[in-house]
């Protein structure tokens, strides 16, 4: 493990550890506030924090394995663990939001069906909203700083920073909206105040569900083996071509994949002259070092071939 990687890992662990315990506190606070205030919006907020707490535990373990060398049981290393984590993290968040929508829809259905909908108690909501918004903003800033200190290469820290911002926005929006409901009494919307928190939940879900959906779509592309973004591919191919030219080899093409913070580059080339195995190793090591500077952590494989490896 290089000194930089060890330092980055320490920064990531510290940020995730702080987030883990903060989310545990927010989960208990949200569920307790939901019970005290009879608010579904507060329950959703608490469940969201509970997901963040469980995710932080998994993220710390996965982050420690990313970049480790291949083993007999994991011949391709652990790099795709990060992509799997972000993918399932997004799915869980989507599931929580769908569940919240179902609960809110049930309350609205009960109200219009003539059923009993308990009145909200606003005192606990005000205290909760102020405390939780402050914590979420602090966590988002902590993750953001850690993300930049680690070279902006950790998908985990990037995901957690967004999750903290979403959690804070959820708490702020739901708290502010719920506290404004008493002012609707005496207006034409007064009769609908009992389902105000359910409507707020549905509005918040509509506003934020697109973020985990977009993340899920992006990581699904990584898992499917879709080529890295065009900018990353162009840099990798150009660098591979330059190194091949320096060595006097014929460059066919490069295949570039991205797995979280790690890149996989397979280079197809024809030496056109007899070479030794150690020459191929030297080419691989030189290319890996240059790609490390240009696109980030990279694993390189070299395929010596007379063709470009593509089939019609």
């Amino acid at each position: 493990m290089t000194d930089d990687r060890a330092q980055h890992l320490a920064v990531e662990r510290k940020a995730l550890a702080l987030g883990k315990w903060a989310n545990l506190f927010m989960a208990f606070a949200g569920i307790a506030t939901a019970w005290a205030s009879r608010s579904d919006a507060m329950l959703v907020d608490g469940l969201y924090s509970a997901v963040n707490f469980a995710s932080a535990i998994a993220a710390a373990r996965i982050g420690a394995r990313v970049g480790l060398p291949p083993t007999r049981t994991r011949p391709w290393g652990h790099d795709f663990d990060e992509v799997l984590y972000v993918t399932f993290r997004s799915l869980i968040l989507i599931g929580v939001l769908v569940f919240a929508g179902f609960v809110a829809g049930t309350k609205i259905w009960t109200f219009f069906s003539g059923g009993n909908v308990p009145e909200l108690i606003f005192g606990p909501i005000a205290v909760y909203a102020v405390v939780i918004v402050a914590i979420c903003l602090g966590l988002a800033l902590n993750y953001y700083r850690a993300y930049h200190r680690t070279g902006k290469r950790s998908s985990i820290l990037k995901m957690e920073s967004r999750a903290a911002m979403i959690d804070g926005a959820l708490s702020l929006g739901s708290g502010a909206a719920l506290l404004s409901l008493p002012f609707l009494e005496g207006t034409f919307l007064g009769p609908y105040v009992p389902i105000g928190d359910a409507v707020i939940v549905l509005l918040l879900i509509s506003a934020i569900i697109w973020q985990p959906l977009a993340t899920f779509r992006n990581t699904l592309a990584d898992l499917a083996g879709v080529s890295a973004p065009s900018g990353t591919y162009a840099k990798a191919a150009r660098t591979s071509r330059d190194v091949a030219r320096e060595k006097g080899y014929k460059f066919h093409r490069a295949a570039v994949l991205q797995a979280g913070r790690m890149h996989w580059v397979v280079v197809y080339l024809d030496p056109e002259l007899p070479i030794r195995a150690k020459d191929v190793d030297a080419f691989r090591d030189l290319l890996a070092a240059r790609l490390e500077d240009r696109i980030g952590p990279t694993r390189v494989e070299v395929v010596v071939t007379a063709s470009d490896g593509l089939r019609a």
Side-chain angles (χ1 to χ4, degrees):
M1 180 183 296
T2 64
D3 291 339
D4 285 345
R5 183 176 183 275
Q7 183 179 6
H8 291 172
L9 184 57
V11 171
E12 184 176 84
R13 282 177 174 172
K14 184 177 180 181
L16 292 173
L18 178 62
K20 176 177 66 176
W21 298 117
N23 277 295
L24 180 61
F25 169 79
M26 292 190 293
F28 278 113
I31 294 172
T33 303
W35 175 80
S37 64
R38 304 169 183 168
S39 169
D40 292 338
M42 295 297 98
L43 178 61
V44 172
D45 212 27
L47 291 176
Y48 194 97
S49 296
V51 171
N52 289 342
F53 168 71
S55 298
I57 297 175
R61 295 180 179 179
I62 291 171
R65 294 199 299 262
V66 172
L68 292 178
T71 63
R72 180 175 298 178
T73 56
R74 298 294 297 270
W76 301 106
H78 299 268
D79 304 324
F80 279 90
D81 290 2
E82 184 174 19
V83 184
L84 284 171
Y85 162 78
V86 176
T87 301
F88 283 102
R89 172 85 155 78
S90 301
L91 281 175
I92 292 172
L93 291 179
I94 293 170
V96 169
L97 294 176
V98 170
F99 170 75
F102 175 78
V103 172
T106 300
K107 176 177 281 191
I108 293 174
W109 174 263
T110 300
F111 176 79
F112 283 105
S113 299
N116 181 40
V117 176
E119 294 184 5
L120 298 177
I121 301 174
F122 296 98
I125 296 174
V127 176
Y128 173 84
V130 172
V131 173
I132 299 305
V133 168
I135 292 176
C136 288
L137 288 177
L139 281 180
L141 178 60
N142 180 55
Y143 286 133
Y144 181 79
R145 291 177 58 190
Y147 176 65
H148 280 264
R149 288 179 62 190
T150 55
K152 297 193 291 186
R153 295 171 179 170
S154 173
S155 296
I156 291 176
L157 288 175
K158 186 177 181 180
M159 178 69 179
E160 293 305 320
S161 179
R162 289 178 177 177
M165 287 298 295
I166 289 175
D167 201 1
L170 188 66
S171 300
L172 178 63
S174 58
L178 288 172
L179 293 175
S180 67
L181 290 179
F183 296 100
L184 298 179
E185 296 288 354
T187 69
F188 71 97
L189 293 175
Y192 305 105
V193 167
I195 58 170
D197 72 321
V199 174
I200 291 168
V201 168
L202 293 179
L203 292 175
L204 288 172
I205 291 172
S206 300
I208 67 177
I209 197 171
W210 305 108
Q211 192 275 331
L213 283 172
T215 301
F216 173 71
R217 181 188 60 198
N218 292 336
T219 55
L220 200 61
D222 290 343
L223 291 174
V226 175
S227 181
S230 58
T232 301
Y233 173 81
K235 290 179 182 179
R238 184 167 54 250
T239 303
S240 301
R241 184 180 294 107
D242 292 343
V243 175
R245 186 181 297 115
E246 291 175 17
K247 295 291 186 179
Y249 303 153
K250 179 181 179 182
F251 172 79
H252 289 303
R253 72 180 183 97
V256 187
L257 301 178
Q258 188 165 346
R261 73 194 74 179
M262 186 65 70
H263 301 85
W264 287 79
V265 177
V266 179
V267 179
Y268 296 83
L269 56 83
D270 182 356
E272 297 187 313
L273 292 172
I275 60 172
R276 294 170 294 182
K278 67 178 184 180
D279 296 326
V280 178
D281 292 343
F283 174 88
R284 180 197 61 207
D285 295 341
L286 176 60
L287 178 58
R290 292 196 183 177
L291 290 174
E292 180 90 15
D293 294 333
R294 298 189 181 181
I295 64 174
T298 307
R299 296 189 191 275
V300 176
E301 297 292 341
V302 180
V303 178
V304 177
T305 177
S307 65
D308 61 6
L310 290 175
R311 294 183 178 181

